[in-house]
Amino acid sequence: ARRRVLAPIAGTVGEVAALRAGAFVHPGDLIASIVPHGELKVIAAFPSAVAGRLRAGQRGRLRLDAFPWIERGTVGVVVESVATEARGGLLRVELALQPGSSAALPLQHGLVGTAVVDVERVSPATLVLRAAGQLGRAERPGDP
């Protein structure tokens, strides 16, 4: 029983530690990663500065590094959950794939990409007014 290795879940072996025959393994050491069967999940790390702006239900898109998005397109995603506390200056965000948005891309575990989430939609005029307001503030004496 002490030489038996058990996985906590069923799935496919995703990664195995490089161990030599006779190597000593302590209880709790990570020797393999199991990828559970089921729907793919997108896990993203956003800077903690976006805390309060990201919420469940917001839509976005995923650009995969392995497939040029200009040629192959992007994958539609929806924010499922946002961590309440940052770790290492980053917030963990779980995104769900939108059905049918990834037909041209062979999705699989381990792909790397960039997630973009729409947090606000404004008109170009609003952007210009915001920029003008910030310019006006910076020109006032005594302002940093």
Side-chain angles (χ1 to χ4, degrees):
R2 293 183 58 205
R3 291 176 181 84
R4 192 170 179 194
V5 177
L6 297 174
I9 56 170
T12 305
V13 176
E15 182 180 3
V16 178
L19 299 171
R20 293 178 178 230
F24 188 79
V25 179
H26 295 78
D29 282 354
L30 182 65
I31 58 172
S33 295
I34 306 294
V35 179
H37 298 295
E39 291 184 29
L40 288 174
K41 287 239 182 228
V42 177
I43 307 299
F46 283 87
S48 59
V50 301
R53 298 200 51 145
L54 286 176
R55 293 180 297 285
Q58 289 173 320
R59 295 187 182 281
R61 59 206 163 280
L62 179 65
R63 298 175 180 165
L64 297 171
D65 293 350
F67 306 102
W69 65 273
I70 299 230
E71 294 175 17
R72 304 289 293 270
T74 60
V75 179
V77 293
V78 177
V79 175
E80 274 193 341
S81 66
V82 180
T84 55
E85 292 186 22
R87 280 195 171 160
L90 298 173
L91 278 177
R92 177 187 165 102
V93 178
E94 292 187 16
L95 306 162
L97 298 172
Q98 287 184 325
S101 68
S102 59
L105 298 170
L107 297 179
Q108 64 184 28
H109 173 75
L111 292 175
V112 177
T114 303
V116 178
V117 176
D118 300 328
V119 294
E120 181 179 31
R121 288 190 179 262
V122 296
S123 69
T126 303
L127 292 175
V128 169
L129 291 173
R130 283 183 186 172
Q134 289 180 356
L135 258 173
R137 260 188 252 135
E139 292 174 357
R140 288 187 217 140
D143 279 353

